[in-house]
Amino acid sequence: MATAPITTAVDEFRRLSDNDTELQAHGKYYSCSFLLDMEDQKFLVRMHRGKVEDLIVDPEPLAAYDFAIRADTETWRGFCQEIPPPMCHGIWAATFRRGMRLEGDLLVLMQNLRCITRQLELLRVTGPLI
């Protein structure tokens, strides 16, 4: 069950994503679903044409998605800081040094990399969704 602070951060993440000019400029074909696994909580994000179609807190175990970005809570907290610490500044750095894992259909991730990168940068405004 989602608590009030999580709901607020999730709602803000959705609002920022849907209204971000850079994301909208590049997002015409940005349609996919991905899981943000933040150890204690998971978030299923379904994108359609650059807009958040659905954002589910703690989806069911068999919920379908194209790819997952998984990391421990400490890595996500660092990643979501306004000025992230070394090796938390991007998904590639965190993957190489912080134990972040990219799983699933990585072709979909790569096809949408600019939009996904920008969307994850918005976590630096909302803070971690955890």
Side-chain angles (χ1 to χ4, degrees):
M1 180 176 207
T3 62
I6 291 170
T7 302
T8 302
V10 167
D11 292 342
E12 181 67 1
F13 178 72
R14 181 182 203 142
R15 187 189 69 73
L16 288 171
S17 294
D18 286 347
N19 295 308
D20 186 71
T21 55
E22 183 179 341
L23 193 56
Q24 297 313 305
H26 295 285
K28 183 177 181 180
Y29 301 104
Y30 179 32
S31 296
C32 63
S33 60
F34 58 95
L35 184 75
L36 296 176
D37 184 345
M38 299 184 177
E39 196 171 43
D40 295 330
Q41 296 232 245
K42 294 173 179 52
F43 303 88
L44 177 59
V45 182
R46 291 188 178 129
M47 299 298 299
H48 182 69
R49 301 184 68 117
K51 299 280 187 184
V52 177
E53 184 175 82
D54 207 2
L55 204 161
I56 302 167
V57 178
D58 290 327
E60 296 178 9
L62 298 179
Y65 50 85
D66 295 308
F67 61 90
I69 303 174
R70 301 180 193 276
D72 60 33
T73 303
E74 179 184 339
T75 299
W76 280 113
R77 287 191 194 285
F79 188 89
C80 295
Q81 290 180 23
E82 186 177 350
I83 300 173
M87 304 317 289
C88 284
H89 61 280
I91 61 173
W92 301 117
T95 299
F96 296 139
R97 298 286 184 191
R98 293 285 183 160
M100 184 175 274
R101 297 178 319 281
L102 308 174
E103 300 174 356
D105 190 346
L106 298 185
L107 177 60
V108 175
L109 170 69
M110 296 306 287
Q111 289 170 330
N112 295 288
L113 186 60
R114 181 64 215 134
C115 290
I116 292 161
T117 299
R118 177 61 189 150
Q119 197 167 28
L120 292 177
E121 288 170 352
L122 295 175
L123 291 172
R124 297 191 176 129
V125 177
T126 65
L129 301 178
I130 47 182

